[in-house]
Amino acid sequence: MRPLLLQGHERAITQIKYNRDGDLLFTCSKDKLPTVWHSQTGERLGTYGPDNGHNGAVWSIDVSWDSKKVVTGSGDASWRLWDCETGRMIRATTTPTSVRSVSFSYSGHLFLYATDAQGKTSSAAVIVKDTRDPSHMQGDACVLSLETFQNEKDKSVNKVSSAVWGPFDESIICGHNNGGLSLIELRQNDFTITNENAHSATIMDIQKSKDDIMFVTASKDTKAKLFDSTTLEELKTYKADRPVNSAAISPIKQHILLGGGQEAMQVTTTDIRQGKFEARFFHMVFEEEFGRVKGHFGPINSVAFHPDGNSFSTGGEDGYVRVHTLDDTYFDFDLTF
Amino acid sequence: RDLLSNLTRPHKSDSRQKSLEDREREREQQAKAAKKNKDKESAAAEAQRMQRDTKQFEEQRNKLREKELEKQVIKEKIEKMKQTEFGMRVLKELEDWENVDVKELDRLEQRHREEMRREEEENNQRLKIQEKKIDHIVRAKHLEEVELRRQDNEA
Amino acid sequence: VDDITDEDLLADILKDKPSEDAGMESVIIIDNIPIAPAEKLDKLKSVVRKLIITHVKIQPDEIVNEIFPVEENGSNKGFAFFEFKDGSIAERTKAVLDGFRFDKQHTLTIDFFTDFEKYVSQSDEWEEPVRRVFKDPGNLRWWLEKEDSYDQYLVICGGNSGTEMAAVFENSPVEPLLLEQRQHWTDRLAMWSPLGTYLATFHQKGVALWVGKEFKQFTKFTQNDVVTAGFSPKERYILTVRNKPEHLPVDDQSMILWDVVTSTKLRSFPWDRRETPPADTVKWSADEKFYALLAKETINVYEAENVISNKTFHEIKEVADFSWSPSQSHLAFWVREQGENVPARLSLVGFPDKADLRTKQLFHVLDCQFVWQKAGEYMAVKVNRYKSAKKRKLGGIDYTGHYFNLEIFNLTNAKKEVPVESIEIKDAIIDLAWEPNGSILVLLTAADAVTSVSFYSGRLGKQFELVKKLPLRHKVERIAWSPMGQFVTLYTTSGSVGYLTFIDTADLTIMADLEHFLLSEVHWDPTGRYLTAVTKGNNKKDNGYTIYSFQGRYVRNEKVDGLSVFAWRPRPPTLLSAEKQKEIRRNLKKYAPEFDAKDKMLLNKASREVSERRKRQMEAFMERLERTRRAFDLRKAY
């Protein structure tokens, strides 16, 4: 089946996310204008901005479980909270540095955001805010602010490149730019589990399984890995021979979806096929690749499964979002054992 | 009376003349108006006719052009078919290559595709047989040679 | 497992040990010679040589060999070995020069090498260089006696020197089977001998050969800084070549010829050019009886049997280039034209009788290239010619009107004189190659930016003629014939996209036309069933190799980071008679059921293995997940 091509963004897509019902697809890009689409038809429903909009690349987007609020984090050093339906900005707060990652808690009241470190003046931080508390929305007040992610050995600061909520909203799982993973328990302060050697290069994306029991990481080290979401124990490894920017777990099958490709700078026009800009399917348990979907002209920066598992979307450096419906051959196929 | 009549005659004749003239003018005017009306009508009719004609002509021309285009497309497709061996085989069934209609072309193309598929399958089959044959030759030779190698080594 | 150690690979002195066959009694050691820096070493050598010649009263050619061991910086070590024609000269030299006062500081002492050996063998630091007892190396052709005809190949990978991993695989169906893998097996490269018997590895101190099922060390040849080596066609001899030391104008020990089985040094060759000599500087006749070198426009042909004497068997002067037949002792060479009146000459000379088999004269020749058919039945000479030449005012000559000639020497009839056919080719010839066992000559030509492939054939003793010329969709530059003939692959390695075109010459059809990214090399397996496309080099991404069938069907791809060598293990010529081979082809059906059954069994086994592995993986994973889930549920309840 031909994929739906969502055209509208003028620059590279940075992240895509479905809402819980899967009728909406939220995308953000380096072009400052986060956009919401009807996932079935590809109709562009609206944008968050330009009124009160971001002034820089938008790195991350998330939507609350009830599809009422949208949060975005940007390179303009701010996060913004939006009314999902009207597109009206509810709140914006500037941060010391770029916001790399945003994520709503399961409850939908709390959200976290991760900011870059910048030299020695501001350290990398993960901050949790409560949308119900006006003081959180206006000032520096927050539920939690974690500012140091120091390397045990050389005391260097590990930027948080990706962050999500752990199981039951009781913890936060961070992926770092040195390839390490850390899990911070919210109620027991200072209780942290780390897996320093999860990857050997920046963790670009973390996505959980439907039941939160495990999560998949995507890394520049050309691998995606599956981890236990309470112990950070490594369960499986998926080798792509190109940097992996995003990985997702199928909600219905034991499949892992990978997106990535050679970085834009390193790709010449004659090398398009060589960049391997394909979305790739791996078997979750056997770690074997069994399918590829071509289409993008640049690296894939973000992949997402529809909550019903019957379709998936990819967002690329080429500025396009492609919505693929999985056909019978996909559902008929499985690695036998 | 006569005088009177005479006296009034000019008058009468005048008036008569006048009325005559009036009548005449009236008639002329009426005729003119009628003519004008008639002219208008005929002009409109003419314009309509012209329009109709042009339309008809254009339709005809479009039809012609379409047909020509169609013909050209058919011709191109046939030319394309001619380039392959199986295409030629399909075309051999035709008597008149110039006058092929769309329906027939569809049928031809269908046949062409089938031929192509068949050819590909045959080719694959042939390659498979060849691959197996070469492999078997190498293996058979090796098999027969092993004993000789053993003897050679002992010597 | 690293079987080779530095001690193993020879201490310094042993390296200069003269050949044992020559007889130890004719070798002396002169000690207490002054130390000279590298640039004065030659002078010193000639002084010592002259000293011996004049005082002992011998002819210069009675000195068979002289060795002045040198330090890292090129200065000599203060002692030297001299080998004479016989023991009596050695004795006379000791008598005359032992205690000779060389200069104020240096008084020479002279010992017989045999005595010296006795002396050093008592030292703790010196391992006695015992004469090698002949050990049975086991079956050297073991891999040919394996039941299945899977071919083996060598893979070397790893980053910089020292981290190399060398491995030998068997190209078995389903997946390659690793036979042997060793870290530090080689310091640089490695190669198979021409018949596949030996695996040669290169080290700082020399070359080692490995044989047998366990790849045990068979022997080693000591030469410091060795970079390459070349075997004679039947593997009896090996020539090791070292990097030319910068400080030496002439390197006397540049190339060393060894007997492979006895591992004795036969002779050395000097080298006076800047760049290191290539391994084929010494070229062999097919029967290994003769070897030849071209130096200073002169071919010197030597007899291998009389290697110790170093006497030239035959000399041909003013030669531009030469080439041996791959099947007979025929030597082809060409001589440049001299001025306007003496034409260029293409000649074929037969050995041992030095008979002129055929000579052809041609005017307006710029260059010649010999291309032999592997069976030696045909030789094509690609002649680069011009229509006119004009002297430039500032010196030099402008040649215009370039074209090519093919001069085809037909050696199919041994009794008759060798006929030569001439074919003119107007387009530029990019490459040409003979079908190894047939009479098809493939030519790649370019004209107006279009590359074409041409097939010439001279079947049934008729004249060679163009059978077909096909324009190609892509630019290709090289020809690789299947070793069994009939199938030929055209390819290019320039640019990021490599192309592979597989052609069946039986019906001249293109079986496959493929793109292959970053292609570096292609290698046919020795049976002609597979072709490997290799991507290698540190700068190239996606190092590894892809195996295709001879038809261009993808078989498998293996990624190998830092791949530096891929080489199929050669097979020696078949032992089957032509009759027997024909019979096998005729009765192929007889073998088919057995092979088919075997293939099926293998496939079943493979799929069974895969499914069993998956089953295990799935069970382990589900069990692991169940544990987490229980902990999870507990927490949820809490």
Side-chain angles (χ1 to χ4, degrees):
Chain A
M1 199 132 120
R2 283 171 75 89
L4 274 178
L5 194 62
L6 309 190
Q7 284 167 284
H9 284 293
E10 284 166 6
R11 304 231 6 231
I13 309 298
T14 50
Q15 195 169 32
I16 60 176
K17 250 176 210 166
Y18 283 96
N19 65 340
R20 200 174 60 126
D21 298 328
D23 58 330
L24 303 177
L25 183 65
F26 296 84
T27 62
C28 59
S29 127
K30 291 182 185 168
D31 67 7
K32 307 177 192 173
L33 269 186
T35 304
V36 56
W37 316 75
H38 193 277
S39 70
Q40 198 78 50
T41 61
E43 186 191 348
R44 186 175 168 166
L45 299 174
T47 59
Y48 298 99
D51 291 342
N52 296 317
H54 281 292
N55 283 319
V58 184
W59 293 117
S60 184
I61 190 165
D62 199 16
V63 56
S64 63
W65 71 278
D66 55 5
S67 300
K68 286 197 169 144
K69 291 185 286 280
V70 169
V71 65
T72 53
S74 162
D76 66 1
S78 75
W79 56 261
R80 270 152 227 248
L81 198 62
W82 310 85
D83 183 281
C84 176
E85 204 182 321
T86 62
R88 194 173 48 81
M89 194 190 76
I90 303 167
R91 192 64 62 196
T93 298
T94 54
T95 50
T97 54
S98 294
V99 179
R100 283 284 153 191
S101 192
V102 292
S103 177
F104 271 114
S105 71
Y106 189 72
S107 72
H109 297 304
L110 307 179
F111 70 90
L112 66 80
Y113 66 91
T115 58
D116 275 0
Q118 199 175 66
K120 286 189 176 137
T121 50
S122 28
S123 55
V126 173
I127 289 155
V128 179
K129 296 258 183 187
D130 191 332
T131 55
R132 295 163 299 186
D133 188 333
S135 69
H136 285 196
M137 293 295 98
Q138 256 139 17
D140 288 339
C142 57
V143 179
L144 182 82
S145 171
L146 299 155
E147 293 212 345
T148 48
F149 292 98
Q150 267 186 346
N151 198 333
E152 291 285 316
K153 282 170 229 149
D154 59 3
K155 301 290 170 208
S156 62
V157 175
N158 290 330
K159 201 175 94 177
V160 177
S161 45
S162 185
V164 294
W165 290 88
F168 315 118
D169 291 354
E170 287 171 351
S171 59
I172 291 170
I173 298 164
C174 300
H176 300 280
N177 65 337
N178 67 346
L181 274 173
S182 53
L183 180 144
I184 302 119
E185 291 281 353
L186 296 183
R187 282 177 210 161
Q188 295 162 274
N189 262 347
D190 299 341
F191 185 78
T192 306
I193 302 172
T194 57
N195 184 342
E196 292 273 350
N197 302 316
H199 283 281
S200 59
T202 307
I203 294 175
M204 302 297 290
D205 189 26
I206 300 176
Q207 292 193 37
K208 290 176 284 182
S209 64
K210 200 179 175 188
D211 55 7
D212 277 13
I213 204 164
M214 52 197 169
F215 63 88
V216 65
T217 53
S219 166
K220 285 274 179 231
D221 70 2
T222 73
K223 291 178 187 115
K225 288 182 180 181
L226 193 69
F227 292 91
D228 183 309
S229 61
T230 47
T231 62
L232 299 191
E233 189 188 335
E234 184 178 317
L235 303 174
K236 292 285 170 186
T237 302
Y238 314 99
K239 290 178 196 159
D241 41 26
R242 289 286 178 280
V244 189
N245 293 331
S246 184
I249 304 171
S250 163
I252 53 168
K253 293 198 140 208
Q254 288 180 316
H255 294 166
I256 304 284
L257 176 62
L258 259 60
Q262 204 59 253
E263 271 175 73
M265 296 185 302
Q266 296 169 20
V267 179
T268 62
T269 47
T270 55
D271 275 356
I272 283 176
R273 272 163 299 181
Q274 208 195 324
K276 300 193 177 166
F277 309 128
E278 298 134 321
R280 297 158 75 164
F281 280 90
F282 281 74
H283 192 279
M284 181 159 77
V285 183
F286 311 140
E287 303 167 320
E288 287 172 58
E289 183 183 333
F290 64 87
R292 289 188 184 197
V293 181
K294 289 182 194 166
H296 284 285
F297 299 110
I300 294 171
N301 289 337
S302 187
V303 297
F305 265 109
H306 189 284
D308 69 8
N310 293 328
S311 65
F312 70 96
S313 295
T314 55
E317 187 71 22
D318 57 8
Y320 292 117
V321 176
R322 300 173 74 89
V323 182
H324 301 264
T325 305
L326 292 159
D327 55 15
D328 291 344
T329 54
Y330 169 81
F331 291 103
D332 290 344
F333 171 84
D334 231 328
L335 295 175
T336 54
F337 61 93
Chain B
R1 235 179 93 195
D2 276 356
L3 184 72
L4 190 72
S5 73
N6 278 342
L7 272 173
T8 54
R9 221 170 62 204
H11 181 72
K12 263 186 186 168
S13 73
D14 267 7
S15 65
R16 195 175 171 151
Q17 177 85 19
K18 204 179 170 211
S19 74
L20 265 172
E21 275 175 11
D22 281 351
R23 251 193 351 237
E24 181 66 16
R25 207 181 296 129
E26 209 171 296
R27 215 187 60 222
E28 257 173 36
Q29 264 169 3
Q30 268 174 4
K32 227 183 214 171
K35 193 174 181 260
K36 212 175 173 182
N37 258 346
K38 209 178 165 190
D39 279 357
K40 224 176 177 176
E41 266 170 34
S42 69
E46 176 66 13
Q48 226 171 10
R49 195 184 57 80
M50 287 252 290
Q51 226 175 349
R52 209 171 44 231
D53 279 0
T54 344
K55 209 172 157 191
Q56 235 168 20
F57 180 68
E58 232 160 63
E59 266 171 20
Q60 236 163 19
R61 204 170 55 181
N62 278 348
K63 239 182 215 166
L64 223 75
R65 200 186 286 156
E66 263 172 37
K67 225 175 196 163
E68 222 156 82
L69 215 70
E70 198 180 279
K71 226 177 177 176
Q72 207 175 332
V73 168
I74 290 171
K75 213 172 173 183
E76 273 171 17
K77 281 189 175 167
I78 285 177
E79 278 305 314
K80 223 175 180 177
M81 272 194 247
K82 271 192 205 169
Q83 283 171 10
T84 59
E85 213 178 294
F86 31 92
M88 282 297 276
R89 222 176 298 149
V90 172
L91 289 172
K92 256 189 198 151
E93 298 166 12
L94 278 180
E95 282 175 8
D96 187 1
W97 288 9
E98 297 301 318
N99 298 310
V100 181
D101 69 356
V102 184
K103 260 190 194 164
E104 206 168 350
L105 184 80
D106 276 352
R107 191 183 62 81
L108 281 177
E109 282 194 312
Q110 179 67 25
R111 287 262 296 134
H112 187 230
R113 274 195 295 274
E114 276 169 19
E115 282 283 321
M116 235 152 74
R117 232 190 339 259
R118 213 173 51 120
E119 188 90 350
E120 213 179 288
E121 259 166 43
E122 274 175 14
N123 196 37
N124 285 342
Q125 201 56 34
R126 200 176 54 80
L127 286 175
K128 241 180 217 167
I129 290 167
Q130 187 189 49
E131 186 175 353
K132 202 164 162 181
K133 188 181 150 198
I134 298 285
D135 183 53
H136 282 189
I137 288 173
V138 171
R139 288 163 78 174
K141 279 190 192 169
H142 180 88
L143 207 66
E144 296 291 341
E145 205 180 32
V146 167
E147 196 40 48
L148 296 178
R149 289 276 174 212
R150 271 187 200 132
Q151 286 164 17
D152 190 51
N153 184 48
E154 272 155 31
Chain C
V1 190
D2 183 7
D3 282 6
I4 188 155
T5 66
D6 279 356
E7 291 82 52
D8 229 9
L9 262 173
L10 278 264
D12 262 346
I13 299 171
L14 191 57
K15 111 177 197 263
D16 295 312
K17 190 176 89 173
S19 70
E20 290 167 338
D21 282 3
M24 290 305 167
E25 64 284 347
S26 60
V27 180
I28 56 159
I29 302 160
I30 309 179
D31 208 349
N32 221 11
I33 299 172
I35 309 276
E39 61 270 19
K40 287 194 176 162
L41 187 58
D42 276 350
K43 182 88 193 291
L44 177 76
K45 279 183 180 175
S46 76
V47 168
V48 175
R49 206 180 304 127
K50 234 178 213 161
L51 188 82
I52 296 170
I53 289 165
T54 50
H55 284 80
V56 190
K57 296 193 176 64
I58 56 169
Q59 294 301 310
D61 67 0
E62 284 178 289
I63 299 174
V64 175
N65 209 347
E66 57 171 28
I67 295 154
F68 283 70
V70 292
E71 300 284 357
E72 289 278 339
N73 62 9
S75 67
N76 64 316
K77 282 187 167 168
F79 62 95
F81 300 90
F82 271 80
E83 182 182 343
F84 301 105
K85 225 172 172 179
D86 56 61
S88 70
I89 302 174
E91 280 175 30
R92 258 158 58 211
T93 310
K94 183 172 161 66
V96 175
L97 293 178
D98 195 11
F100 183 82
R101 202 156 167 223
F102 193 85
D103 59 31
K104 274 179 191 164
Q105 279 90 37
H106 298 88
T107 303
L108 303 180
T109 58
I110 292 179
D111 289 297
F112 292 116
F113 187 79
T114 44
D115 292 340
F116 190 72
E117 234 181 347
K118 275 180 225 152
Y119 174 63
V120 290
S121 65
Q122 286 156 9
S123 155
D124 286 345
E125 291 159 39
W126 178 250
E127 205 183 312
E128 185 178 7
V130 274
R131 195 178 165 82
R132 188 198 302 279
V133 203
F134 180 73
K135 279 182 293 189
D136 183 7
N139 184 1
L140 299 182
R141 296 262 165 101
W142 64 281
W143 86 100
L144 298 166
E145 292 178 22
K146 291 184 86 165
E147 190 189 347
D148 295 302
S149 65
Y150 306 141
D151 281 276
Q152 299 182 1
Y153 57 84
L154 166 75
V155 170
I156 300 179
C157 62
N160 303 315
S161 206
T163 61
E164 284 92 351
M165 180 71 88
V168 177
F169 291 91
E170 190 173 77
N171 184 30
S172 39
V174 187
E175 60 179 359
L177 178 71
L178 178 67
L179 297 177
E180 189 72 36
Q181 179 175 357
R182 290 179 202 168
Q183 196 133 23
H184 310 300
W185 199 349
T186 174
D187 288 347
R188 293 148 200 216
L189 302 173
M191 62 192 269
W192 297 104
S193 60
L195 304 182
T197 313
Y198 308 105
L199 175 65
T201 56
F202 294 74
H203 306 265
Q204 180 65 35
K205 300 206 166 177
V207 175
L209 298 191
W210 310 81
V211 295
K213 221 171 187 162
E214 279 97 37
F215 292 94
K216 283 188 180 152
Q217 196 185 116
F218 176 74
T219 187
K220 61 210 166 194
F221 311 104
T222 305
Q223 188 187 28
N224 278 335
D225 296 322
V226 64
V227 281
T228 178
F231 281 91
S232 61
K234 297 186 179 203
E235 307 180 332
R236 193 172 154 193
Y237 307 101
I238 185 172
L239 180 85
T240 60
V241 181
R242 76 168 175 194
N243 238 336
K244 183 168 175 287
E246 287 269 327
H247 57 272
L248 295 179
V250 178
D251 180 9
D252 288 337
Q253 304 290 315
S254 176
M255 295 171 272
I256 299 176
L257 186 63
W258 311 78
D259 183 299
V260 169
V261 175
T262 64
S263 75
T264 42
K265 177 174 163 182
L266 300 175
R267 65 170 293 191
S268 60
F269 301 91
W271 188 251
D272 58 1
R273 270 169 271 173
R274 272 190 69 138
E275 72 285 3
T276 303
D280 67 347
T281 306
V282 172
K283 292 178 176 148
W284 289 88
S285 66
D287 57 8
E288 295 184 328
K289 285 197 172 131
F290 298 97
Y291 62 94
L293 279 86
L294 178 64
K296 298 189 175 92
E297 299 205 328
T298 300
I299 304 175
N300 275 298
V301 181
Y302 300 96
E303 261 180 306
E305 286 297 328
N306 285 323
V307 68
I308 306 298
S309 82
N310 282 1
K311 232 177 95 187
T312 302
F313 180 77
H314 189 52
E315 190 183 71
I316 310 168
K317 288 203 160 128
E318 289 167 349
V319 170
D321 198 10
F322 79 103
S323 172
W324 287 99
S325 157
S327 68
Q328 287 161 292
S329 302
H330 294 346
L331 187 144
F333 67 93
W334 77 283
V335 176
R336 281 183 211 285
E337 51 195 295
Q338 307 291 317
E340 285 182 17
N341 300 321
V342 183
R345 216 166 80 232
L346 299 174
S347 277
L348 197 61
V349 177
F351 282 83
D353 42 6
K354 308 170 190 176
D356 182 11
L357 299 173
R358 181 67 205 251
T359 293
K360 170 132 192 187
Q361 302 193 327
L362 287 168
F363 280 106
H364 290 198
V365 173
L366 279 176
D367 193 25
C368 290
Q369 191 193 334
F370 302 102
V371 181
W372 285 92
Q373 179 228 32
K374 209 177 161 227
E377 296 170 317
Y378 304 100
M379 177 189 66
V381 188
K382 176 182 140 190
V383 189
N384 189 349
R385 306 186 65 180
Y386 62 93
K387 291 242 155 68
S388 64
K390 212 190 224 166
K391 275 204 177 117
R392 266 189 239 146
K393 273 181 191 158
L394 296 166
I397 302 168
D398 277 328
Y399 297 100
T400 49
H402 289 274
Y403 67 103
F404 288 95
N405 240 57
L406 290 180
E407 301 293 333
I408 298 175
F409 288 62
N410 189 334
L411 292 92
T412 44
N413 193 335
K415 284 174 193 129
K416 278 189 187 163
E417 194 206 20
V418 179
V420 181
E421 280 177 51
S422 196
I423 300 170
E424 188 177 325
I425 309 288
K426 290 214 170 59
D427 301 343
I429 298 177
I430 301 166
D431 196 12
L432 68 160
W434 288 98
E435 183 179 20
N437 51 2
S439 64
I440 300 175
L441 178 65
V442 173
L443 222 61
L444 278 180
T445 56
D448 304 324
V450 177
T451 307
S452 301
V453 58
S454 302
F455 302 89
Y456 286 84
S457 177
R459 221 158 271 180
L460 302 168
K462 282 183 187 163
Q463 288 228 314
F464 271 85
E465 55 186 31
L466 179 65
V467 179
K468 195 167 186 179
K469 184 173 177 182
L470 284 172
L472 295 166
R473 285 198 295 141
H474 318 291
K475 191 179 149 208
V476 290
E477 290 155 346
R478 306 291 295 276
I479 302 163
W481 271 99
S482 153
M484 67 154 55
Q486 186 179 347
F487 306 103
V488 64
T489 301
L490 312 174
Y491 66 101
T492 179
T493 55
S494 59
S496 67
V497 185
Y499 294 104
L500 288 162
T501 305
F502 293 80
I503 296 174
D504 182 351
T505 60
D507 52 8
L508 297 178
T509 52
I510 293 176
M511 297 180 291
D513 205 358
L514 311 171
E515 282 181 8
H516 186 102
F517 279 98
L518 302 168
L519 182 63
S520 318
E521 296 167 356
V522 311
H523 300 279
W524 278 98
D525 88 321
T527 65
R529 284 177 295 177
Y530 302 101
L531 179 133
T532 327
V534 176
T535 301
K536 67 179 208 182
N538 283 337
N539 295 330
K540 291 200 168 176
K541 294 165 271 178
D542 296 316
N543 273 203
Y545 57 91
T546 306
I547 296 182
Y548 295 100
S549 77
F550 64 93
Q551 297 168 329
R553 180 179 63 82
Y554 170 90
V555 177
R556 74 169 69 95
N557 171 270
E558 300 285 336
K559 292 189 170 65
V560 186
D561 279 346
L563 179 66
S564 59
V565 173
F566 179 98
W568 288 100
R569 183 174 208 160
R571 282 175 179 241
T574 181
L575 296 174
L576 298 169
S577 65
E579 280 307 305
K580 182 72 186 169
Q581 291 186 48
K582 259 186 204 153
E583 189 198 311
I584 291 170
R585 274 172 181 269
R586 255 200 321 273
N587 298 325
L588 208 54
K589 282 206 177 96
K590 191 180 94 185
Y591 303 92
E594 187 190 335
F595 293 154
D596 287 344
K598 200 160 201 171
D599 289 348
K600 204 170 165 189
M601 201 190 72
L602 268 170
L603 273 173
N604 282 343
K605 188 169 161 246
S607 64
R608 208 166 50 238
E609 275 169 11
V610 167
S611 85
E612 273 164 16
R613 194 194 68 225
R614 285 182 181 162
K615 213 172 264 171
R616 278 196 307 276
Q617 279 180 319
M618 186 55 87
E619 274 167 17
F621 185 78
M622 291 320 271
E623 200 186 290
R624 171 73 187 69
L625 218 58
E626 198 43 49
R627 248 187 302 142
T628 312
R629 211 182 294 280
R630 271 202 301 274
F632 222 69
D633 290 344
L634 219 66
R635 218 166 138 191
K636 214 188 264 174
Y638 167 74

